[in-house]
Amino acid sequence: SHHKCAGRANWGRTRETLALIEALAQRQRIALDAYPYVAGSTLLREDLVDGVIDVLLTWSDPHPGMAGRLLSDIARAWGCTEQQACLRLQPGGACYFQMHEEDVERVIAHPLSMIGSDGLPHDRHPHPRLWGTFPRVFARYWRERRLFTLEQAVHKMTGMTARNLRIAGRGLLRAGAMADVVVFDPASIADTATYEQPRGLSRGIDQVFVNGVLTYRGGDSAGVRARAGRMLVRGA
């Protein structure tokens, strides 16, 4: 968690890492997760600023107005290096475009791979994965790229996760299970969140039920006030 090959020197090495995981899976239970983007997101760190990859600033305490801009553009405007700009902007957060799309696809399509968002809701300019991860899997990796079937896509986001994390009564539609249900149109579901506009509401989702309670309807949750979620605690 999360499986990726970050940095140009590691691009393509998922062929090696996935083969190793498959070998280990013959001896013990193993799984992995991934998010469907080529950029990761974490704190603003100078060791991740190499002058090669794009770095998008998501927040900065000393310079909040710079959020949403590329570090290279900020450095150019300030007449300094990206490393110097990074230090001036700290503490802050950023999206790092470290991965290659072929590696992302290889990992997401793997039979042992689950889908996770790794979204950070406190960011002032969040990574689009916070809003768009799961619809993006349907739109890009199932409908467009055909990396797996619709049923496999759903399972990677629901039943497989519940099973691997040992969360009882979740992830499957069956009598006696908690009624966590998303009603969506397979032909139109899609993410709209981008790095520039990361809070875009996804399309094609008609209703969401949490613990059997309607919490989202018709593209706008403004009229639905129910808060039926609860903390899930794994037993010892």
XYZ file of all heavy atoms in Angstrom, residues 35-37 41 58 95 115-139 157 182 189-205 208 215-216 219-222 227:
458
model
N -4.015 3.737 -6.660
C -4.974 4.758 -7.072
C -4.717 5.078 -8.545
O -3.589 4.965 -9.030
C -4.890 6.009 -6.194
C -3.494 6.544 -5.931
C -2.866 7.360 -6.858
C -2.826 6.236 -4.754
C -1.595 7.858 -6.621
C -1.553 6.732 -4.508
C -0.940 7.538 -5.439
O 0.322 8.033 -5.210
N -5.762 5.465 -9.288
C -5.666 5.551 -10.758
C -5.133 6.881 -11.289
O -5.752 7.514 -12.153
C -7.117 5.329 -11.181
C -7.908 5.959 -10.086
C -7.147 5.668 -8.819
N -3.979 7.295 -10.811
C -3.375 8.556 -11.245
C -1.862 8.394 -11.324
O -1.277 7.554 -10.626
C -3.705 9.683 -10.260
C -5.171 10.018 -10.164
C -5.988 9.354 -9.257
C -5.748 10.989 -10.978
C -7.350 9.653 -9.158
C -7.097 11.295 -10.882
C -7.893 10.623 -9.971
O -9.225 10.915 -9.884
N 0.562 12.371 -3.763
C 0.370 13.605 -3.004
C 0.854 13.408 -1.576
O 0.521 12.408 -0.934
C -1.108 14.009 -3.006
O -1.306 15.202 -2.289
N -0.266 22.154 -3.459
C -1.653 22.020 -3.018
C -1.984 22.952 -1.859
O -3.128 23.357 -1.691
C -1.978 20.572 -2.611
O -1.051 20.141 -1.589
C -1.869 19.648 -3.812
N 1.338 17.744 -5.129
C 1.152 16.558 -5.964
C 2.434 16.374 -6.775
O 2.922 17.336 -7.383
C -0.032 16.725 -6.908
S -1.647 16.775 -6.103
N -8.538 -1.094 -5.389
C -8.522 0.337 -5.680
C -8.718 1.115 -4.384
O -9.631 0.830 -3.603
C -9.649 0.732 -6.665
C -9.584 -0.124 -7.935
C -9.551 2.220 -6.996
C -8.290 0.009 -8.719
N -7.855 2.085 -4.150
C -7.997 2.981 -3.009
C -7.782 4.407 -3.467
O -7.094 4.656 -4.450
N -8.384 5.356 -2.766
C -8.237 6.754 -3.192
C -7.025 7.424 -2.565
O -6.392 8.275 -3.173
C -9.485 7.553 -2.841
O -9.572 7.761 -1.445
N -6.687 7.068 -1.329
C -5.643 7.760 -0.570
C -5.895 9.273 -0.557
O -4.976 10.077 -0.551
C -4.254 7.459 -1.146
C -3.140 7.856 -0.177
O -3.354 7.785 1.047
O -2.057 8.267 -0.642
N -7.167 9.661 -0.597
C -7.506 11.080 -0.638
C -7.218 11.786 0.674
O -7.358 11.205 1.750
N -6.799 13.044 0.580
C -6.481 13.856 1.761
C -7.489 15.003 1.842
O -7.321 16.039 1.209
C -5.060 14.402 1.653
C -3.953 13.340 1.495
C -2.610 14.015 1.253
C -3.884 12.450 2.715
N -8.563 14.844 2.611
C -9.649 15.831 2.591
C -9.310 17.176 3.203
O -10.037 18.149 2.989
C -10.758 15.133 3.400
C -10.041 14.153 4.263
C -8.870 13.682 3.455
N -8.206 17.276 3.947
C -7.878 18.548 4.595
C -7.109 19.496 3.679
O -6.939 20.669 4.012
C -7.054 18.297 5.857
C -5.759 17.602 5.595
N -5.661 16.231 5.546
C -4.511 18.084 5.345
C -4.408 15.890 5.296
N -3.696 16.980 5.152
N -6.649 19.014 2.521
C -5.896 19.886 1.621
C -6.783 21.001 1.072
O -7.932 20.770 0.685
C -5.315 19.093 0.446
C -3.983 18.467 0.780
O -3.532 18.620 1.925
O -3.397 17.822 -0.110
N -6.230 22.207 1.023
C -6.994 23.333 0.490
C -7.191 23.222 -1.026
O -8.166 23.697 -1.577
C -6.274 24.636 0.834
C -6.291 24.951 2.322
C -5.143 25.857 2.738
N -4.499 25.345 3.944
C -3.427 25.915 4.501
N -2.904 27.001 3.963
N -2.901 25.401 5.575
N -6.239 22.602 -1.688
C -6.355 22.314 -3.124
C -6.024 20.829 -3.271
O -4.891 20.465 -3.574
C -5.377 23.170 -3.927
C -5.541 23.043 -5.413
N -6.256 23.942 -6.173
C -5.103 22.102 -6.277
C -6.236 23.577 -7.434
N -5.533 22.461 -7.519
N -6.991 19.945 -3.039
C -6.679 18.513 -2.938
C -6.297 17.873 -4.260
O -6.532 18.426 -5.333
C -7.992 17.921 -2.408
C -9.042 18.870 -2.888
C -8.411 20.230 -2.839
N -5.719 16.708 -4.146
C -5.478 15.845 -5.299
C -6.858 15.426 -5.832
O -7.754 15.126 -5.045
C -4.676 14.628 -4.839
C -4.147 13.756 -5.925
N -4.960 13.115 -6.836
C -2.873 13.383 -6.237
C -4.217 12.386 -7.659
N -2.948 12.536 -7.330
N -7.053 15.365 -7.162
C -8.372 14.984 -7.699
C -8.822 13.590 -7.298
O -10.010 13.270 -7.407
C -8.197 15.113 -9.213
C -6.723 15.058 -9.449
C -6.108 15.705 -8.239
N -7.914 12.760 -6.820
C -8.296 11.407 -6.409
C -9.305 11.425 -5.258
O -10.063 10.471 -5.077
C -7.050 10.612 -6.002
C -6.345 11.138 -4.764
C -5.002 10.472 -4.566
N -4.307 10.988 -3.387
C -3.060 10.681 -3.071
N -2.360 9.867 -3.856
N -2.494 11.169 -1.994
N -9.308 12.496 -4.459
C -10.257 12.594 -3.349
C -11.694 12.550 -3.858
O -12.565 11.955 -3.235
C -9.997 13.886 -2.567
C -10.940 14.168 -1.396
C -10.803 13.096 -0.322
C -10.662 15.549 -0.803
N -11.964 13.172 -5.006
C -13.306 13.256 -5.560
C -13.542 12.282 -6.712
O -14.681 11.934 -6.996
C -13.567 14.681 -6.064
C -13.712 15.683 -4.963
C -12.717 16.211 -4.179
C -14.921 16.290 -4.506
N -13.222 17.095 -3.278
C -14.582 17.180 -3.454
C -16.249 16.196 -4.891
C -15.521 17.946 -2.783
C -17.186 16.967 -4.229
C -16.820 17.823 -3.188
N -12.491 11.859 -7.404
C -12.717 11.166 -8.667
C -12.229 9.746 -8.797
O -12.441 9.124 -9.843
N -11.584 9.179 -7.769
C -10.923 7.883 -7.920
C -11.816 6.788 -8.493
O -11.498 6.170 -9.515
C -10.344 7.418 -6.575
O -9.182 8.192 -6.275
C -9.930 5.947 -6.627
N -12.924 6.497 -7.850
C -13.698 5.310 -8.220
C -14.451 5.492 -9.543
O -14.420 4.584 -10.388
C -14.611 4.929 -7.054
C -13.835 4.661 -5.791
C -13.773 5.607 -4.788
C -13.112 3.487 -5.640
C -13.026 5.391 -3.639
C -12.347 3.257 -4.497
C -12.301 4.206 -3.493
N -15.093 6.636 -9.791
C -15.668 6.839 -11.126
C -14.608 6.815 -12.234
O -14.876 6.364 -13.352
C -16.338 8.215 -11.014
C -16.672 8.351 -9.563
C -15.520 7.706 -8.861
N -13.401 7.280 -11.934
C -12.324 7.273 -12.930
C -11.953 5.849 -13.332
O -11.652 5.585 -14.512
C -11.096 7.998 -12.366
C -9.906 8.044 -13.325
C -8.759 8.840 -12.717
N -7.566 8.824 -13.523
C -7.324 9.622 -14.562
N -8.239 10.498 -14.930
N -6.205 9.542 -15.238
N -11.969 4.936 -12.393
C -11.669 3.540 -12.721
C -12.672 3.001 -13.736
O -12.305 2.328 -14.705
C -11.657 2.676 -11.445
C -11.588 1.189 -11.793
C -10.472 3.054 -10.559
N -13.946 3.301 -13.520
C -14.971 2.859 -14.475
C -14.791 3.524 -15.837
O -14.824 2.862 -16.874
C -16.369 3.186 -13.948
C -16.806 2.321 -12.795
C -17.135 2.885 -11.575
C -16.887 0.944 -12.930
C -17.544 2.100 -10.515
C -17.292 0.142 -11.871
C -17.626 0.726 -10.657
N -14.613 4.843 -15.826
C -14.581 5.581 -17.086
C -13.323 5.303 -17.897
O -13.395 5.049 -19.109
C -14.704 7.082 -16.813
N -13.212 -2.572 -5.755
C -13.523 -1.418 -4.906
C -14.394 -1.787 -3.708
O -14.668 -0.923 -2.872
C -14.257 -0.356 -5.726
C -13.576 0.059 -7.001
S -14.616 1.243 -7.875
C -13.914 1.158 -9.516
N -24.231 1.841 -4.198
C -24.105 2.954 -5.140
C -24.869 2.580 -6.404
O -24.588 1.550 -7.017
C -22.629 3.249 -5.481
C -22.543 4.372 -6.505
C -21.850 3.605 -4.228
N -20.973 6.956 -16.088
C -20.219 7.299 -14.884
C -18.806 7.739 -15.260
O -18.137 7.112 -16.082
C -20.186 6.118 -13.890
C -19.563 6.571 -12.557
C -19.460 4.910 -14.464
C -19.693 5.560 -11.442
N -18.377 8.858 -14.697
C -17.056 9.410 -15.020
C -16.664 10.444 -13.983
O -17.516 11.108 -13.375
C -17.064 10.049 -16.409
N -15.371 10.586 -13.785
C -14.843 11.626 -12.908
C -14.747 12.934 -13.684
O -14.532 12.930 -14.897
C -13.463 11.235 -12.386
C -12.472 10.976 -13.523
O -12.828 10.248 -14.463
O -11.355 11.513 -13.468
N -14.919 14.045 -12.994
C -14.696 15.360 -13.598
C -13.617 16.131 -12.854
O -13.208 17.204 -13.296
C -15.985 16.204 -13.623
O -16.353 16.552 -12.278
C -17.127 15.443 -14.282
N -13.165 15.625 -11.719
C -12.133 16.300 -10.933
C -10.804 16.301 -11.689
O -10.385 15.273 -12.224
C -11.960 15.616 -9.584
N -10.156 17.448 -11.740
C -8.860 17.586 -12.394
C -7.867 18.189 -11.410
O -8.239 18.632 -10.321
C -8.967 18.506 -13.616
O -9.325 19.836 -13.176
C -10.015 17.993 -14.601
N -6.619 18.244 -11.796
C -5.614 18.861 -10.924
C -5.871 20.357 -10.782
O -5.574 20.941 -9.742
C -4.215 18.596 -11.474
C -3.817 17.143 -11.369
C -3.910 16.305 -12.483
C -3.366 16.600 -10.172
C -3.562 14.959 -12.397
C -3.014 15.253 -10.086
C -3.119 14.452 -11.191
O -2.792 13.124 -11.105
N -6.446 20.955 -11.826
C -6.749 22.387 -11.778
C -8.022 22.658 -10.984
O -8.103 23.625 -10.224
C -6.902 22.948 -13.197
C -5.627 22.942 -14.026
C -5.230 21.563 -14.521
O -6.123 20.682 -14.660
O -4.029 21.344 -14.759
N -9.040 21.787 -11.178
C -10.330 21.915 -10.493
C -10.633 20.578 -9.801
O -11.392 19.754 -10.310
C -11.437 22.269 -11.496
C -11.225 23.557 -12.255
C -11.326 24.775 -11.344
O -12.026 24.763 -10.333
N -10.612 25.847 -11.697
N -10.032 20.341 -8.635
C -10.072 19.012 -8.036
C -11.378 18.621 -7.354
O -11.540 17.470 -6.965
C -8.938 19.071 -7.013
C -8.855 20.509 -6.629
C -9.170 21.276 -7.878
N -12.311 19.552 -7.212
C -13.560 19.234 -6.520
C -14.728 19.020 -7.478
O -15.884 19.210 -7.115
C -13.896 20.341 -5.516
C -12.925 20.410 -4.341
C -13.329 21.495 -3.353
N -12.481 21.512 -2.173
C -11.314 22.151 -2.083
N -10.883 22.847 -3.133
N -10.597 22.102 -0.988
N -14.446 18.597 -8.685
C -15.502 18.351 -9.657
C -16.359 17.162 -9.272
O -15.853 16.087 -8.945
N -17.676 17.348 -9.304
C -18.623 16.289 -8.947
C -18.687 15.264 -10.075
O -18.868 15.619 -11.242
C -19.998 16.914 -8.722
C -20.998 16.136 -7.874
C -20.491 16.000 -6.451
C -22.342 16.846 -7.889
N -18.550 13.993 -9.721
C -18.564 12.937 -10.739
C -19.945 12.791 -11.367
O -20.968 13.089 -10.746
C -18.128 11.612 -10.120
O -16.785 11.680 -9.705
N -19.963 12.316 -12.605
C -21.207 12.117 -13.348
C -21.657 10.665 -13.256
O -20.866 9.764 -13.008
C -21.020 12.482 -14.821
C -20.599 13.913 -15.093
C -20.701 14.215 -16.594
N -19.869 13.311 -17.379
C -18.633 13.591 -17.783
N -18.084 14.755 -17.456
N -17.946 12.730 -18.507
N -22.959 10.462 -13.506
C -23.479 9.109 -13.663
C -23.827 8.378 -12.387
O -24.156 7.185 -12.438
N -23.779 9.050 -11.236
C -24.144 8.422 -9.966
C -25.528 8.936 -9.573
O -25.730 10.131 -9.381
C -23.118 8.739 -8.866
C -21.748 8.188 -9.270
C -23.556 8.149 -7.530
C -20.637 8.529 -8.303
N -26.726 7.042 -3.526
C -25.790 6.361 -2.636
C -26.503 6.082 -1.319
O -27.102 6.988 -0.723
C -24.520 7.207 -2.373
C -23.613 6.488 -1.378
C -23.770 7.478 -3.668
N -28.127 8.764 1.217
C -27.281 9.895 1.616
C -26.895 10.799 0.448
O -26.308 11.860 0.648
C -25.993 9.396 2.291
O -25.282 8.554 1.379
C -26.303 8.614 3.551
N -27.212 10.369 -0.766
C -26.855 11.152 -1.963
C -27.862 10.820 -3.047
O -28.233 9.653 -3.214
C -25.442 10.791 -2.406
C -24.950 11.513 -3.651
C -24.245 12.698 -3.552
C -25.194 10.983 -4.915
C -23.790 13.354 -4.693
C -24.745 11.631 -6.050
C -24.055 12.821 -5.931
O -23.622 13.464 -7.060
N -27.189 13.668 -8.353
C -26.133 14.605 -8.686
C -25.935 15.719 -7.695
O -25.084 16.585 -7.882
N -26.721 15.744 -6.608
C -26.573 16.812 -5.627
C -27.059 16.302 -4.277
O -28.207 15.898 -4.151
C -27.371 18.050 -6.044
C -27.091 19.260 -5.162
O -26.353 19.099 -4.168
O -27.609 20.330 -5.471
N -26.193 16.338 -3.278
C -26.555 15.844 -1.948
C -27.105 16.940 -1.053
O -27.357 16.726 0.121
C -25.334 15.210 -1.271
O -24.304 16.166 -1.131
N -27.335 18.140 -1.613
C -27.763 19.272 -0.788
C -29.076 18.989 -0.070
O -29.292 19.435 1.057
C -27.892 20.529 -1.642
N -26.796 11.252 7.856
C -25.410 10.870 8.105
C -25.423 9.501 8.796
O -25.508 9.404 10.011
C -24.705 11.907 8.975
C -24.541 13.275 8.307
C -23.532 13.196 7.178
N -23.295 14.495 6.565
C -23.957 14.946 5.491
N -24.900 14.190 4.937
N -23.695 16.127 4.991
